[in-house]
Amino acid sequence: MQKDIRSIIIAIDGHSSCGKSTVARDLAKLLNIAYIDTGAMYRAVTLFALRRNMIIDGKINEEQLLESIGNIVIDFRANPDKKVNETYLNGEKVEDEIRSLEVSNNVSPVSALGFVRKHLVALQRLMGEKGGVVLDGRDIGTVVFPNADLKIFMTASPEVRAKRRYDEMIAKGFSPSFEEILNNVEERDRIDSTRLESPLKKADDAVVLDNSHMTRQEQLEWILDKIKEL
Ligand code: DC
């Protein structure tokens, strides 16, 4: 490997619930680099809007959200017990709240808003510009860091993805139905890929990782091989 790992930027984009954050976290831990979960940032903005009744029956009060966007501070802090980074919204830990079905059901339209993306992309660039970082999201390789050293586009079948999210939510004590989750996964694919602002699409120079039939370890090794080629 030619490049210094401390200055490298790795972009992982792809469909929802295909395990981007798991592999990004594994990679960050192994290489001792930072991890930025950009989906968590869109979720935190959605939680902020829901709590202030800026979203009623799926309809967003864009004017109000635009007025408050500058007051939304998001950061990641290490939890030494769990050895993971957790998401904070205006100083409050919201790591569990942002994973609820209510947030999942409302996050796509919020992330389609141009002013929300502008605010969060600026924050992401600030967090990652020094390098030594892996970011996962939908537009990292296309918009946030188009010059990233390695771009990976991850995907898996909708059923495999829904089953993973279902298992994850059961483990956290929620009780969703599988159909509800599958609908949510498919609906989010549709909104994410067809929105006008930074739609989800593979960057021309990204490598595709379909992990429908791969273990966590196999995915990690697949990416490490790509890093060695840099
Ligand atoms: O990765 P996730 O499921 O936690 O992402 C939540 C939502 O945020 C998803 O519907 C798409 C959106 N998102 C985005 O538009 N751009 C990103 N860089 C990351 C996430």
Side-chain angles (χ1 to χ4, degrees), residues 38-39 42-43 107-108 111 117 137-139 188 192 195:
T38 66
Y42 288 94
R43 288 171 177 274
V107 65
S108 273
S111 65
R117 304 204 70 83
R138 305 294 187 287
D139 60 341
R188 284 206 289 150
D192 292 347
R195 69 183 178 211

Side-chain angles (χ1 to χ4, degrees), residues 27 38 41 50 54 70 76 90 102 115-116 131 135 152 158 163 172 175 184 186-187 197 211 218 225 230:
L27 204 59
T38 66
M41 299 169 80
L50 282 166
M54 293 177 189
F76 298 102
N90 290 338
E102 195 191 12
F115 63 88
V116 171
L135 301 97
I152 295 160
K163 177 72 169 61
K172 281 186 180 159
S175 46
N184 177 259
E186 291 179 330
E187 180 61 5
E197 291 284 341
N211 69 3
E218 284 167 345
D225 280 345
L230 293 176

Side-chain angles (χ1 to χ4, degrees), residues 99-119:
R99 312 286 167 192
S100 72
L101 199 55
E102 195 191 12
V103 170
S104 294
N105 283 338
N106 286 283
V107 65
S108 273
V110 170
S111 65
L113 296 173
F115 63 88
V116 171
R117 304 204 70 83
K118 198 170 159 213
H119 180 69

